[in-house]
């Protein structure tokens, strides 16, 4: 039997092979190389951050001891640290060991402060909300409480939305202020893209891009997890507020 490949001109075979190789290289770069090269640049390269006048950070025990004297004098592209979100709780039992110190020092150094809860898909939202309310004393001029939701575990999309709304409603009733919802761009589009969440100010996590792909309303943008700032040794998340300083003050608890 004759080989049917002999009927195909060699230049067509080579052209087809070249196309396949190019497609594979593009796919490999976008999937495996690109994201890490962006992070490498953020860590070691010439860093440029998105434009914004009101900037802030979020911290937990992972950042270790904070030198607040240096932090309050630091600048992020010329702008001072105007706000700081501090991790308070996780799940229904975990308490951040540095919360009290960080939360106290933020106010002492005249930085607008807020507290956030990391949601666990492995305990009830009701218990998590009650735990947060028990542990966190918010005061006048503090930012509203934050629900940080990043994982769904074995829950369905519908179950996750129900649990998230349970936490938000319990906490809103307790503090008398609408909580902030924090989550990643993709996670929100995949799991929390419902009109039920439109009333909650959105704090979006979307890294290493010059502008947001998200087209909805947002209040805070966490644009990198590889920031560096005086007063904190470890890498830190950096954020931009979508407004001026007076708008930020208007968000605080009255």
């Amino acid at each position: 039997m004759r080989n049917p490949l002999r009927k195909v001109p060699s230049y067509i075979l080579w052209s087809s092979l070249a196309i396949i190789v190019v497609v594979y290289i593009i796919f490999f770069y976008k999937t495996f190389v690109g994201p890490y090269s962006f992070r490498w640049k953020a860590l070691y390269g010439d860093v440029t951050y998105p434009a914004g006048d009101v900037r802030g950070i979020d911290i937990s025990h992972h950042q270790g001891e904070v030198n607040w004297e240096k932090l309050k004098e630091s600048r992020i592209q010329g702008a001072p640290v105007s706000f700081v979100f501090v991790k308070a709780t996780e799940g229904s039992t975990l308490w951040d060991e540095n919360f009290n110190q960080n939360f106290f020092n933020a106010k002492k150094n005249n930085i607008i402060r807020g507290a956030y809860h990391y949601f666990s898909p492995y305990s009830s939202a009701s218990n998590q909300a009650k735990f947060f309310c028990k542990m966190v004393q918010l005061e006048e001029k503090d930012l509203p409480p934050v629900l940080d939701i990043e994982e769904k575990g074995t829950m369905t999309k519908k179950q996750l939305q129900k649990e998230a709304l349970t936490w938000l409603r319990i906490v809103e009733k307790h503090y008398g202020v609408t909580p902030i919802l924090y989550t990643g761009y993709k996670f929100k589009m995949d799991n929390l893209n419902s009109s039920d969440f439109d009333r909650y100010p959105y704090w979006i996590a979307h890294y290493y891009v010059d502008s947001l792909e998200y087209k909805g309303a947002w209040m805070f943008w966490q644009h990198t997890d590889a920031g560096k700032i005086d007063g904190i040794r470890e890498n830190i998340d950096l954020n931009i507020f979508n407004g001026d300083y007076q708008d930020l003050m208007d968000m605080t608890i009255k």
Side-chain angles (χ1 to χ4, degrees):
M1 180 181 293
R2 296 179 61 186
N3 187 345
L5 289 179
R6 292 179 180 175
K7 297 181 179 179
V8 180
S10 60
Y11 73 89
I12 295 179
L13 293 176
W14 284 111
S15 298
S16 300
L17 180 60
I19 292 172
I20 292 171
V21 170
V22 169
V23 170
Y24 175 79
I25 290 172
I26 293 172
F27 169 79
F28 185 85
Y29 179 83
K30 288 188 174 182
T31 305
F32 300 106
V33 179
Y36 296 99
S37 68
F38 292 145
R39 181 171 173 79
W40 185 93
K41 183 178 180 181
L43 287 168
Y44 307 111
D46 295 328
V47 181
T48 55
Y49 296 135
D53 295 325
V54 183
R55 298 179 179 271
I57 62 174
D58 53 277
I59 57 177
S60 69
H61 67 277
H62 292 295
Q63 277 69 49
E65 293 293 321
V66 176
N67 185 325
W68 289 88
E69 289 296 317
K70 287 186 177 180
L71 180 64
K72 72 178 182 179
E73 299 298 330
S74 65
R75 294 292 183 271
I76 306 171
Q77 288 195 177
V81 176
S82 296
F83 62 90
V84 54
F85 287 107
V86 184
K87 182 178 181 181
T89 54
E90 179 176 339
S92 55
T93 58
L94 295 179
W95 170 250
D96 191 284
E97 62 195 49
N98 286 12
F99 175 77
N100 284 335
Q101 181 180 2
N102 286 331
F103 205 59
F104 171 81
N105 281 318
K107 185 170 185 177
K108 180 182 177 182
N109 288 276
N110 298 313
I111 301 174
I112 298 173
R113 65 184 186 176
Y116 74 89
H117 170 80
Y118 187 91
F119 178 83
S120 169
Y122 304 107
S123 61
S124 79
S126 176
N127 288 341
Q128 293 185 57
K130 292 173 183 176
F131 179 55
F132 180 86
C133 294
K134 176 183 177 182
M135 302 301 290
V136 178
Q137 179 69 40
L138 295 177
E139 301 176 357
E140 185 179 337
K141 297 184 180 180
D142 289 340
L143 287 165
V146 179
L147 176 61
D148 173 352
I149 184 163
E150 305 178 33
E151 52 181 321
K152 60 184 291 187
T154 57
M155 286 191 288
T156 65
K157 176 179 176 179
K158 186 176 181 179
Q159 289 171 332
L160 180 70
Q161 291 182 359
K162 180 180 179 181
E163 289 290 282
L165 289 169
T166 295
W167 191 98
L168 291 165
R169 289 164 179 164
I170 291 174
V171 169
E172 180 171 6
K173 182 178 180 180
H174 178 82
Y175 293 103
V177 62
T178 305
I180 297 167
L181 176 65
Y182 166 97
T183 192
Y185 166 70
K186 188 175 187 306
F187 192 91
K188 186 180 194 314
M189 299 306 294
D190 290 345
N191 301 289
L192 302 174
N193 193 21
S194 164
S195 59
D196 290 329
F197 297 98
D198 288 347
R199 63 183 299 268
Y200 300 101
Y202 182 29
W203 176 9
I204 181 172
H206 195 191
Y207 304 152
Y208 319 132
V209 293
D210 295 325
S211 60
L212 287 173
E213 296 179 26
Y214 181 70
K215 302 305 180 185
W218 60 274
M219 294 306 298
F220 299 90
W221 174 14
Q222 186 183 86
H223 58 85
T224 183
D225 62 349
K228 296 183 183 299
I229 194 169
D230 291 342
I232 299 176
R233 294 181 181 179
E234 303 297 328
N235 295 327
I236 191 167
D237 302 329
L238 299 181
N239 304 271
I240 294 172
F241 175 68
N242 191 15
D244 59 25
Y245 189 80
Q246 185 57 53
D247 294 329
L248 181 66
M249 287 296 299
D250 290 344
M251 276 196 72
T252 61
I253 297 172
K254 306 299 188 288

